[in-house]
């Protein structure tokens, strides 16, 4: 799916049931909180010259940190404002790279705010069943999306790791 990769031209669809999105953030300055956000949909558009666009939506309404109280707190307007904005989005049309590794520059959206985000991806790997697997990750500052909390309570940097399975066009 990158320059030099013979992926089928068209729109590849993210298989949500086989795709995962995990995140980590520090709290209280030293503990690492891990969580997951289900991917509800996504796509990767491929032209003859390579990947031309990436889109994804994650279901914040089903965010899971393994702590029900923390998950409820994340719903609050000062944090993720999930009741008003239940979807985290990513859209990109600036993709650069070489076979096997690329940089996807786009916009992350949450809470009615948006910020630039660069995702680094590796792959694709052929799963042997007609689907492709891509591993991707990014780091961003939660404050760029207006998430306000004392830094000792919630660290500024959030790391996202994605394990994406794509179905071919058609």
């Amino acid at each position: 799916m990158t320059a030099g990769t013979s992926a089928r031209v068209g729109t590849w669809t993210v298989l949500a049931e086989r795709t995962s999105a995990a995140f980590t953030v520090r709290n209280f300055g030293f503990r690492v909180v891990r969580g997951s956000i289900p991917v509800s949909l996504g796509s990767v558009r491929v032209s003859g010259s390579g990947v031309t666009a990436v889109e994804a939506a994650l279901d914040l309404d089903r965010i899971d940190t393994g702590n029900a109280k923390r998950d409820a707190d994340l719903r609050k307007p000062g944090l993720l404002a999930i009741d008003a904005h239940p979807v985290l989005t990513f859209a990109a049309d600036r993709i650069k790279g070489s076979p096997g590794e690329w940089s996807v520059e786009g916009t992350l959206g949450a809470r009615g705010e948006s910020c630039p985000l660069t995702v680094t991806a590796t792959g694709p790997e052929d799963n042997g069943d007609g689907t492709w697997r891509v591993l991707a990750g990014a780091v961003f500052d939660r404050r760029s999306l207006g998430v306000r909390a004392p830094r000792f309570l919630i660290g500024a940097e959030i790391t996202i790791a994605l394990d994406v399975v794509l179905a071919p066009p058609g």
Side-chain angles (χ1 to χ4, degrees):
M1 281 198 227
T2 60
T5 301
S6 59
R8 191 175 332 163
V9 171
T11 300
W12 290 68
T13 304
V14 171
L15 296 177
E17 69 279 0
R18 292 175 59 185
T19 295
S20 65
F23 66 90
T24 58
V25 63
R26 291 200 177 279
N27 78 340
F28 298 113
F30 62 92
R31 284 191 6 208
V32 175
V33 173
R34 300 179 192 290
S36 63
I37 306 170
V39 176
S40 52
L41 59 94
S43 64
V44 175
R45 197 166 48 242
V46 178
S47 74
S49 61
V51 177
T52 59
V54 175
E55 293 181 338
L58 284 70
D59 184 1
L60 288 174
D61 205 35
R62 294 178 35 217
I63 194 167
D64 182 9
T65 64
N67 180 310
K69 181 177 178 348
R70 182 186 302 123
D71 295 347
D73 285 345
L74 289 172
R75 300 186 78 80
K76 293 178 180 176
L79 295 177
L80 291 176
I82 293 172
D83 292 332
H85 304 282
V87 178
L88 181 137
T89 61
F90 179 72
D93 60 5
R94 293 175 308 282
I95 295 92
K96 301 182 273 187
S98 58
E101 188 172 327
W102 67 93
S103 174
V104 181
E105 297 176 15
T107 302
L108 180 67
R111 316 182 63 252
E113 305 281 338
S114 63
C115 68
L117 181 68
T118 299
V119 176
T120 303
T122 58
E125 295 176 16
D126 186 341
N127 284 329
D129 62 357
T131 64
W132 291 79
R133 180 179 187 208
V134 175
L135 300 177
V139 177
F140 71 97
D141 188 322
R142 65 171 166 80
R143 296 170 296 188
S144 62
L145 289 172
V147 177
R148 304 285 181 236
R151 192 172 184 158
F152 76 90
L153 189 59
I154 301 175
E157 285 190 345
I158 298 175
T159 302
I160 300 173
L162 303 159
D163 187 339
V164 181
V165 176
L166 298 162

